[in-house]
Amino acid sequence: MSSIILEARGIRYRYPRSMEAIRGISFHLRKGEKIALVGPNGAGKSTLLMMFNGMIHPDTGTILFDNEPVRYDTASLRMLRKRVGFVLQNPDRQIIAPTVYQDVAFGPTNLGYPESDVKKAVALALSHVGLDGFERRPPHQLSGGEKKRVAIAGVLAMDPDVLVFDEPTSGLDPSGSEDIMELLDELNHGGKTVIISTPNLPTRGLTVLSSCSREEFSRKIFPKWHSGIRNLCGWRTFLPRPSLNYILSCRNVVSLCRIRNPGRCWT
C-alpha cells in the first residue's frame, strides 16, 4: 500500500485579473514526513497550501488525498478539512470565539461530537500546545505566540492526519519561533504529517522545498553536495515550465524552483 497521503498532479492556478500563481506543479507528500515550502512572497506558497484542504480549487490538474482525487462538494470538503488541518499565518484571522475553550471547541462541535468528546478533545489539544488552564482566557489578552498555539489547538482538536502551517513563525521573536518549531517537531514525532511554508530555510530536519535554481541550491545551501547532488537525489518530477517549475528530491532535500528569479536563493 502506498504511503503517499497528499499529491499534486500538474496543477495550475491563476487569480482573477492577475498573474498565474501556480504553473504545472506535481509532487507528493508521504505519511509522517515534515516538509517546508521555501520561497519569497508571491512565489505561490500559500496558494499551493490552500489547495491541500480545498480552500482553493486548481484551474487544471488534480489534488489527491489518500490516493483519492479531492472532491469539492460540501460533504467531501467537510471530511477533507477534518483530516487536513490548516493553520493560517495570522492567528487573529483564525481565532473567532470570545474564550480559548470556545475557539478550540468550534471544530469538534461543528463535526457533531458529543459534548463529553468535545471536552476531551479540547483538553487534549490544549495540553499538546502547552496551554493547560487557558480555557477561560480571552484570546485578545494572549501574546502572539500564545495565539499561534490556540490556533494550532483548534486544528488539533479535530485530530487531523496532516497539519498545514502557513508561515508558522511569522511575527514571532526568536524564542517564540523556536518554541513553535519544537512543537511542530513533537507533533511530527507523534505521527502527524507536517507541511509548512516559510521565506527562510528551516534548520530542524525538515525536507525542504526550496525556491531557487538547482545550481544555486546545491552550491549555496549544500556545497559539499555540489558535484554529486544529482546522483544522490535523482529526479522525482521534472516540469520544464517557467515559475515554480521543477522538484528535485532525495531523503533530505527537495528543491522547488522558480525560473523568474534564478539567481536568488534563500539560505
Side-chain angles (χ1 to χ4, degrees):
M1 183 178 293
S2 172
S3 65
I4 295 174
I5 192 166
L6 267 174
E7 185 174 2
R9 294 181 180 174
I11 57 173
R12 304 176 73 99
Y13 182 78
R14 179 187 296 274
Y15 285 100
R17 298 181 297 278
S18 183
M19 62 179 287
E20 192 170 37
I22 301 292
R23 299 186 182 184
I25 293 300
S26 297
F27 80 99
H28 59 256
L29 176 65
R30 297 185 180 276
K31 293 178 182 178
E33 279 190 316
K34 295 185 299 182
I35 286 188
L37 186 63
V38 185
N41 293 335
K45 304 186 300 299
S46 297
T47 302
L48 183 59
L49 294 185
M50 286 190 286
M51 290 182 181
F52 292 151
N53 80 339
M55 285 192 282
I56 291 181
H57 190 311
D59 293 334
T60 60
T62 305
I63 300 290
L64 296 93
F65 178 76
D66 218 3
N67 297 307
E68 294 291 334
V70 170
R71 294 182 295 176
Y72 295 90
D73 59 277
T74 301
S76 297
L77 287 176
R78 184 184 181 91
M79 184 55 62
L80 176 67
R81 289 165 184 170
K82 178 185 183 300
R83 299 189 64 189
V84 181
F86 194 100
V87 180
L88 297 173
Q89 178 179 344
N90 182 356
D92 288 324
R93 296 180 59 192
Q94 188 156 350
I95 298 172
I96 59 172
T99 69
V100 168
Y101 179 91
Q102 290 172 295
D103 194 82
V104 177
F106 181 85
T109 298
N110 278 274
L111 289 172
Y113 287 20
E115 185 177 351
S116 59
D117 290 348
V118 171
K119 290 180 178 179
K120 290 177 183 177
V122 172
L124 184 60
L126 289 176
S127 177
H128 265 307
V129 300
L131 293 181
D132 295 291
F134 277 63
E135 289 85 349
R136 296 179 180 272
R137 297 276 296 275
H140 69 268
Q141 293 183 357
L142 303 180
S143 69
E146 289 168 342
K147 288 180 181 179
K148 288 270 190 182
R149 289 172 181 269
V150 170
I152 294 171
V155 170
L156 290 179
M158 295 182 286
D159 193 27
D161 300 304
V162 180
L163 295 168
V164 181
F165 298 88
D166 190 6
E167 299 194 21
T169 61
S170 175
L172 300 181
D173 60 22
S175 177
S177 297
E178 183 71 12
D179 288 344
I180 291 296
M181 293 307 293
E182 287 180 358
L183 173 59
L184 300 193
D185 276 349
E186 292 171 8
L187 293 171
N188 179 250
H189 291 154
K192 301 295 185 186
T193 303
V194 177
I195 180 167
I196 72 171
S197 69
T198 175
N200 305 304
L201 186 68
T203 58
R204 302 190 63 84
L206 295 161
T207 301
V208 178
L209 296 176
S210 180
S211 221
C212 61
S213 70
R214 176 168 63 109
E215 292 76 14
E216 288 284 309
F217 187 86
S218 58
R219 179 168 57 84
K220 290 188 175 182
I221 300 178
F222 292 94
K224 63 183 179 180
W225 286 9
H226 181 49
S227 61
I229 191 168
R230 184 162 186 172
N231 292 331
L232 282 168
C233 297
W235 294 98
R236 178 184 292 172
T237 303
F238 177 79
L239 301 170
R241 302 176 184 273
S243 190
L244 296 170
N245 83 316
Y246 67 77
I247 297 176
L248 171 67
S249 70
C250 64
R251 290 183 181 178
N252 300 312
V253 185
V254 181
S255 181
L256 179 60
C257 301
R258 182 179 174 89
I259 275 188
R260 287 181 185 163
N261 296 302
R264 297 185 65 186
C265 192
W266 294 269
T267 60

